[in-house]
Amino acid sequence: MTEQAKSGFVAHLIELRDRLIKALLSIFVIFIGLVYFANDIYEFVAAPLVAHLPSTATMIATDVTAPFFAPFKLTLFIALFGAIPWILHQIWGFIAPGLYQHEKRMLMPILASSILLFYGGIAFCYFVVLPIILGFFTSVGPQMMTLAPDISSYLGFVLKLFFAFGVAFEIPVAIMLLCWSGATTTQSLKEKRPYIVVGVFVVAMFLTPPDVLSQTLLAFPMLLLFELGLILARFYSAKEQQESEE
């Protein structure tokens, strides 16, 4: 390796380090701004469950440190979710110099769409899925049972669902990238649709808690997003072909 190549490699490593530091700092800054409201944030996230609890029931903490660490942990994850646009901006700033102009035009909308879809998945989970799931689970069981959910267990349950739906809503972006890179085609994906349907339910089984309701509520949006991804990928392929012909 020549000295020029070595210096270029070191410069890339330094830039990567700087961008990683900026990404971590963005999470820290958002966390510091939100930590004072940690209990309020937890109450907001727990609202779908509290709405379905009996009037005499409350959430409990089985660990003496849970009242502090559960809201603290939730706020840290909220800071991470909130910093995603800036983190993706740092990733874009690192890879953009090595891209051609038409690649930049293609990836910029995809980058913006991925952010919106991720937040859309979390919003869909909070406003649609959680009320349905929690309404079902709090209404079943023996009459003698007193429901008193643990705050740490509920937090783990909710964060797992948030992450699952946030990632699942990225399916259109993933399909567009696969088709755009030449790894597959929309025609090939359409031919493999029966296998993809089965695969979607398998993935939903691993991403969600072990209950059929959660898996189904994740699988059906994933299938709809898969179809949306095919439409968008076909549209972009046709547009690229037209531009290349011109």
Side-chain angles (χ1 to χ4, degrees):
M1 185 181 291
T2 64
E3 289 297 324
Q4 185 177 1
K6 286 182 180 179
S7 62
F9 179 70
V10 171
H12 281 301
L13 286 179
I14 293 174
E15 183 184 3
L16 179 61
R17 180 203 63 188
D18 292 342
R19 292 192 179 278
L20 285 174
I21 291 174
K22 289 178 181 178
L24 292 173
L25 280 175
S26 67
I27 299 173
F28 178 74
V29 169
I30 295 175
F31 174 76
I32 292 299
L34 294 177
V35 71
Y36 178 79
F37 307 100
N39 290 334
D40 297 324
I41 294 172
Y42 190 94
E43 289 178 7
F44 176 78
V45 172
L49 174 61
V50 174
H52 290 93
L53 289 178
S55 57
T56 57
T58 60
M59 299 184 71
I60 63 170
T62 56
D63 187 348
V64 69
T65 61
F68 172 77
F69 280 110
F72 184 90
K73 180 181 177 182
L74 175 60
T75 306
L76 184 60
F77 274 93
I78 295 296
L80 173 61
F81 292 160
I84 282 177
W86 178 249
I87 294 172
L88 291 178
H89 173 71
Q90 294 303 316
I91 295 173
W92 172 257
F94 183 73
I95 67 173
L99 299 176
Y100 293 107
Q101 193 61 36
H102 72 279
E103 292 174 333
K104 292 180 181 180
R105 288 200 307 267
M106 175 69 182
L107 288 179
M108 275 300 289
I110 289 179
L111 186 66
S113 300
S114 65
I115 296 172
L116 294 176
L117 285 170
F118 183 81
Y119 288 145
I122 294 177
F124 178 80
C125 178
Y126 180 82
F127 291 106
V128 178
V129 176
L130 279 181
I132 295 174
I133 294 176
L134 297 174
F136 172 76
F137 284 120
T138 55
S139 63
V140 298
Q143 293 294 327
M144 68 186 80
M145 179 187 68
T146 301
L147 187 63
D150 176 63
I151 60 173
S152 297
S153 298
Y154 175 74
L155 177 61
F157 173 81
V158 168
L159 288 178
K160 187 174 183 180
L161 282 179
F162 282 171
F163 179 77
F165 277 85
V167 171
F169 270 56
E170 300 293 334
I171 288 177
V173 173
I175 291 175
M176 290 179 65
L177 287 174
L178 287 172
C179 294
W180 176 66
S181 64
T184 187
T185 62
T186 55
Q187 185 60 35
S188 175
L189 290 173
K190 287 201 297 193
E191 292 172 356
K192 297 172 183 174
R193 186 181 279 119
Y195 304 102
I196 291 173
V197 171
V198 175
V200 162
F201 277 91
V202 173
V203 171
M205 179 180 66
F206 283 103
L207 288 179
T208 58
D211 64 271
V212 177
L213 186 59
S214 301
Q215 295 165 14
T216 304
L217 288 172
L218 177 59
F220 278 108
M222 287 175 69
L223 292 174
L224 292 176
L225 290 166
F226 167 74
E227 298 298 333
L228 175 63
L230 289 180
I231 295 171
L232 293 175
R234 189 161 54 244
F235 170 76
Y236 267 96
S237 298
K239 186 177 179 182
E240 273 198 343
Q241 184 177 359
Q242 183 181 359
E243 289 179 353
S244 61
E245 290 175 355
E246 291 176 355

